[in-house]
Amino acid sequence: MTTPAPTRSRTGFGPALNGVGAVVVAFWVIAGTGGPDDREPLVIGCSLVVLLIWAVRAFVRVDLLRDLAALVMVVGGAAMVGPTDGLLVTPAIIAVTAVTAETRHSRYAGPLLAALGAVITVIGGLAEVRPASFFFGVLGGYALGIVVGLNRRQTVAAAERERALLARELDLEREHQRASLLADRATVARDIHDVLAHSLGGLVIQLDAVEALLEAGRTEEAASRVAAARILAADGLGEARRAVTALRDPAADPAPSSLDADDAVAHLLAAHRGLGGSVEASGVEGASSLDAGHRRVLAGVLREALSNARRHAPGAPVRVSLSREVGGEFLRAVISNPAGQDGPLGDGSGLPGMRSRVAELDDRSTLTARRDGDKFSVVLELDCPEAGAR
């Protein structure tokens, strides 16, 4: 988002005030001290041109024309200061004030313009043999114009900084909202991926087993497999609905997930065995010492690792080991199985999902995955110390 350039006030008060000022000065220029014959026509004509430019400049919005008008007001006004007894110093001071106040100009533009006017005034005043008080009065007017202009300039600069800060805050708020939305979508995509990999992958295995059992005439076992498939499908549908609800309304209270259950780890191991897999588990009772957040991450990583094992190394034994590191600050979970032939680390979708789950804990927990020869391992270290470990 680009910060908009400050716009000049469109109210008619400022231009009208400048117009009235030009008319008042014009009256006194024409009236003079003793009537119209008190001044030469050339002086009156030049003065009226300068005053007309002053009045017109207040309504002009083109910067170049405004700058040219300000230059004419200073040069012409300074040249006519002596012949008009100081009256034409007014448009010169107004021009100096305006140029000094505009932030598009250098802060030295106004003072330089005032210096030009002062030089012209002094030269003209010396030709007419004016007293010193006359020069001090005119120079004081230019100085006053610079001071007023600088004060206005600071006010305008402060307003511009405030607008820029507000625009920056709006940009940051939009970026924060966008980042939050992308993070929510990434979380939902991860959950849907894990659910589909677990439930649909398991359904394929169950249906293949049902087909083989029916061909062998083992109908009772086939019916048992169908019942297990129905439970698996219902669980997967519930998880998918939960993810879609979170995407549709992030503020809604999510339905309980199977990963939140106290026995989620044991349930996943049993489900893997029910799908015909082989699991050698040790130390899984250590999952009960975890809080809900860390236990959910452990279950999510285990579910994805078991799904990957079924997909990439079907029928191969899986080893799951949970143990406490020295000091009891970390729970270490190692899930390993023979690596499949269709890719060293799977399709690239599961591991980022595992890592994102760990990152959401926002602690020292880590996850690594590696292939060592014909063995693939996922190592999860959860920063969840036992009571009294710290």
Side-chain angles (χ1 to χ4, degrees), residues 115-380:
L116 175 62
V119 170
I120 296 174
T121 300
V122 169
I123 293 175
L126 290 176
E128 296 183 3
V129 193
R130 293 281 182 173
S133 59
F134 176 82
F135 295 112
F136 285 125
V138 172
L139 296 178
Y142 285 128
L144 178 62
I146 294 174
V147 172
V148 173
L150 289 174
N151 182 65
R152 291 183 181 176
R153 185 187 186 93
Q154 292 177 350
T155 302
V156 172
E160 290 177 350
R161 287 194 297 269
E162 185 176 354
R163 281 192 292 267
L165 179 60
L166 178 60
R168 180 58 178 166
E169 290 177 351
L170 291 175
D171 285 343
L172 291 175
E173 179 64 22
R174 292 190 185 98
E175 288 298 322
H176 176 71
Q177 292 177 354
R178 182 173 180 272
S180 298
L181 178 60
L182 292 177
D184 291 340
R185 288 180 175 177
T187 299
V188 172
R190 177 201 67 198
D191 292 343
I192 291 178
H193 167 271
D194 292 354
V195 168
L196 294 179
H198 175 70
S199 58
L200 295 184
L203 283 175
V204 170
I205 294 175
Q206 291 285 39
L207 293 176
D208 287 343
V210 169
E211 183 180 9
L213 290 171
L214 290 176
E215 290 177 354
R218 299 159 62 182
T219 57
E220 291 185 2
E221 294 182 41
S224 176
R225 289 278 188 169
V226 169
R230 183 181 296 110
I231 295 174
L232 186 62
D235 290 343
L237 182 60
E239 291 289 330
R241 285 176 174 170
R242 180 178 182 274
V244 171
T245 300
L247 179 62
R248 181 180 301 156
D249 185 8
D253 293 333
S257 170
S258 60
L259 300 181
D260 296 323
D262 294 340
D263 59 347
V265 171
H267 176 75
L268 288 170
L269 295 176
H272 184 74
R273 294 188 181 100
L275 293 172
S278 174
V279 180
E280 180 183 347
S282 62
V284 293
E285 63 277 1
S288 61
S289 66
L290 298 175
D291 59 79
H294 288 82
R295 187 167 58 248
R296 185 185 308 112
V297 171
L298 173 60
V301 170
L302 178 61
R303 182 177 67 181
E304 180 62 20
L306 293 175
S307 297
N308 286 339
R310 290 193 296 269
R311 183 166 67 252
H312 299 293
V318 179
R319 176 172 177 78
V320 178
S321 173
L322 272 65
S323 61
R324 281 283 177 182
E325 293 297 293
V326 176
E329 293 190 3
F330 288 87
L331 178 71
R332 179 184 177 90
V334 181
I335 308 161
S336 59
N337 58 271
Q341 301 299 318
D342 56 349
L345 296 178
D347 59 8
S349 300
L351 289 176
M354 296 182 193
R355 292 192 175 100
S356 70
R357 289 183 184 276
V358 176
E360 288 174 358
L361 293 173
D362 194 23
D363 56 17
R364 297 180 298 169
S365 301
T366 60
L367 183 139
T368 57
R370 60 178 180 269
R371 181 169 182 169
D372 185 10
D374 61 349
K375 182 181 179 181
F376 178 72
S377 300
V378 174
V379 180
L380 171 65

Side-chain angles (χ1 to χ4, degrees), residues 24-42:
V24 170
V25 175
F27 171 79
W28 288 107
V29 167
I30 295 174
T33 57
D37 296 334
D38 190 52
R39 293 195 177 93
E40 297 180 3
L42 180 61

Side-chain angles (χ1 to χ4, degrees), residues 35-120:
D37 296 334
D38 190 52
R39 293 195 177 93
E40 297 180 3
L42 180 61
V43 172
I44 295 176
C46 291
S47 299
L48 292 179
V49 169
V50 173
L51 295 173
L52 178 62
I53 292 176
W54 173 17
V56 171
R57 183 185 184 276
F59 296 91
V60 173
R61 299 302 173 187
V62 180
D63 290 338
L64 178 60
L65 295 179
R66 290 175 59 83
D67 293 342
L68 291 175
L71 181 61
V72 172
M73 289 166 62
V74 171
V75 174
M80 292 294 105
V81 165
T84 60
D85 297 323
L87 287 173
L88 261 291
V89 76
T90 304
I93 294 174
I94 294 296
V96 169
T97 302
V99 171
T100 304
E102 292 179 347
T103 56
R104 61 187 178 89
H105 293 299
S106 167
R107 65 175 60 250
Y108 303 108
L112 288 175
L113 201 59
L116 175 62
V119 170
I120 296 174

